Amino acid sequence: MEIRDLTEADLDAVLDGRKRAFGPLSEGSAAVWRKLVLPFLAEGRYLGAFAGNRLVGTARINPYTQWWHGRPVSMGGVASVTVSPEDRGRGAGRQIMLAVIERAAELGHLVSALYPATTHVYRRLGWEHAGAQLIAAIPAEALRRVTAAEPVALRRMGPGDAAELRSVIARVYTATRASGPILYDEETWRLWLDDDDDFCYLADDGFVTYSWSGEDIRVDNLVAGSEATARALWAMVGTHATVAKQVRAPIMPDDPVFWLLADRKEDTLTQPRWMFRLLDVAEAIEARGYPAAVTVDAVVQVQDAQRPGNSGGWRIEVGGGSGAATRADSGAGPVLGIGGLSALYAGIPASTLRRAGLLTGPTDEDEALDAAFAAKPYMLDYF
């Protein structure tokens, strides 16, 4: 089996494989998909597994920025992982994902994330459960009662606003010390903002994109950096309560919308889970943000069979909101596979990792590591 870069000539076969894996796309959605992936082909972001001239499987590496405690980290978002039904169970998925790991690192990504259709394949290659896309079902009438704190200028936005939108998102995620949410490249945002079925509004410190879903409202994204903007955006969505009964929206783990509602009895949430992997231990730890009041000096032992350069002893030092990982004694400290370290990086507590068998050895530094990597990771976007 050969793994190689896909070209435009392969896209019909790729669409056929996607249909067999996930179901058919409408003609309009297929056209948008082609526009989305074309730039990635030249960048080596779409890989195919071939048996002779026959396409067996695919995987795409999306160029994302992911925030970790308010700092941007280059992230390869793995999507469109497919294997033809007649070729499953023969190792094609593993081979293409091994190639994805190396290619994502070559492209300069420090970490990687994906939404798994199945867990075991990815876990064996170093990805581990880290966070979720939390989707809330909120009565539209409850949002109609949210009132504006002060006037906020909201304007409609389109493809020409992609650069400004990216700037707003980056500012809000940095200021709120967000962990987990992602930022699309400008061209991808241009495509999403060109959809006539979506309603898109921009403020100085926030935005919302939403659409009708049957007789209800589906919010694709809502980000706000202040109370005034949060109230203004949610209140605008709530104006549809005269028709819509329910609003489904991706939210943060402690989203302010729940504190804006006049009556909150229970939260109705679904949680599509995502998995996460460090590709470069030293660079990923240096790029991440940390609580400014936390100081840590700990040694850990890492095992990464797919990227041996990550294996061995690492001294993790955190202080003043920054971190670093340098080579250390290969015999000291607790032991983690790359999946366990990735989960720790994402804020999964050491006690959880120990009871799941992902962290072993001395416990002296557990509390300090928990404090350094504390996070409630989430994504607003599904890819």
Side-chain angles (χ1 to χ4, degrees):
M1 187 171 298
E2 177 191 8
I3 307 293
R4 66 167 174 81
D5 292 344
L6 294 171
T7 68
E8 189 171 356
D10 297 312
L11 290 186
D12 286 342
V14 174
L15 269 176
D16 179 73
R18 189 198 182 284
K19 175 176 67 177
R20 295 174 190 274
F22 305 120
L25 287 173
S26 68
E27 185 176 340
S29 294
V32 172
W33 175 85
R34 286 180 182 271
K35 290 181 181 179
L36 172 69
V37 304
L38 274 175
F40 298 163
L41 297 176
E43 298 172 7
R45 293 186 172 277
Y46 220 145
L47 300 179
F50 289 82
N53 293 322
R54 184 171 62 86
L55 181 64
V56 171
T58 66
R60 189 174 75 242
I61 306 166
N62 295 321
Y64 294 145
T65 301
Q66 186 175 36
W67 264 258
W68 286 101
H69 201 80
R71 290 194 184 177
V73 179
S74 179
M75 189 269 271
V78 182
S80 293
V81 179
T82 68
V83 175
S84 299
E86 66 270 29
D87 295 295
R88 293 172 185 167
R90 302 179 184 177
R94 175 181 172 82
Q95 288 190 46
I96 200 165
M97 290 309 299
L98 285 170
V100 162
I101 291 172
E102 290 308 309
R103 180 60 58 84
E106 291 169 7
L107 290 166
H109 297 305
L110 307 183
V111 300
S112 175
L114 55 83
Y115 284 92
T118 183
T119 295
H120 69 277
V121 173
Y122 302 116
R123 177 172 279 156
R124 290 172 183 172
L125 296 177
W127 279 271
E128 192 47 80
H129 288 290
Q133 182 198 38
L134 303 174
I135 302 174
I138 304 172
E141 181 63 24
L143 291 174
R144 190 177 69 84
R145 298 176 186 172
V146 175
T147 57
E150 58 187 74
V152 173
L154 301 177
R155 65 175 179 84
R156 297 181 182 184
M157 62 176 171
D161 297 301
E164 182 178 352
L165 174 60
R166 280 172 44 85
S167 178
V168 168
I169 293 171
R171 290 200 307 271
V172 173
Y173 288 162
T174 299
T176 57
R177 298 183 296 280
S179 288
I182 63 174
L183 177 62
Y184 297 127
D185 62 282
E186 187 171 328
E187 186 56 35
T188 298
W189 264 119
R190 287 182 186 275
L191 281 174
W192 297 151
L193 293 173
D194 199 29
D195 189 337
D196 291 338
D197 291 332
D198 286 346
F199 308 108
C200 310
Y201 293 87
L202 184 65
D204 288 341
D205 67 338
F207 77 101
V208 64
T209 62
Y210 68 93
S211 61
W212 286 96
S213 178
E215 296 183 349
D216 292 325
I217 294 294
R218 184 192 71 222
V219 173
D220 295 313
N221 267 277
L222 192 154
V223 172
S226 64
E227 177 196 358
T229 297
R231 285 183 175 275
L233 294 175
W234 284 113
M236 184 174 63
V237 173
T239 62
H240 295 285
T242 54
V243 177
K245 300 303 180 185
Q246 188 179 79
V247 173
R248 290 181 60 82
I251 59 166
M252 300 165 50
D254 296 313
D255 200 289
V257 67
F258 289 125
W259 280 263
L260 298 178
L261 300 178
D263 189 14
R264 177 189 182 189
K265 297 179 181 178
E266 63 181 15
D267 302 334
T268 303
L269 300 172
T270 56
Q271 301 186 43
R273 306 299 302 183
W274 48 271
M275 301 179 77
F276 181 70
R277 192 195 202 284
L278 301 187
L279 299 173
D280 186 315
V281 168
E283 294 293 333
I285 287 176
E286 182 177 352
R288 191 191 195 279
Y290 302 86
V294 173
T295 300
V296 173
D297 186 344
V299 174
V300 299
Q301 303 299 320
V302 180
Q303 301 167 344
D304 188 347
Q306 288 72 45
R307 290 187 58 76
N310 288 329
S311 296
W314 290 98
R315 182 179 183 184
I316 298 175
E317 297 176 276
V318 172
S322 297
T326 54
R327 284 296 181 183
D329 182 359
S330 60
V335 179
L336 308 97
I338 191 63
L341 181 62
S342 299
L344 179 68
Y345 184 104
I348 307 303
S351 62
T352 297
L353 298 178
R354 286 190 180 278
R355 287 176 288 173
L358 299 174
L359 172 63
T360 61
T363 62
D364 302 18
E365 303 295 345
D366 285 11
E367 192 170 359
L369 291 170
D370 279 347
F373 292 107
K376 290 185 177 182
Y378 68 97
M379 287 192 201
L380 300 179
D381 301 278
Y382 188 94
F383 56 87

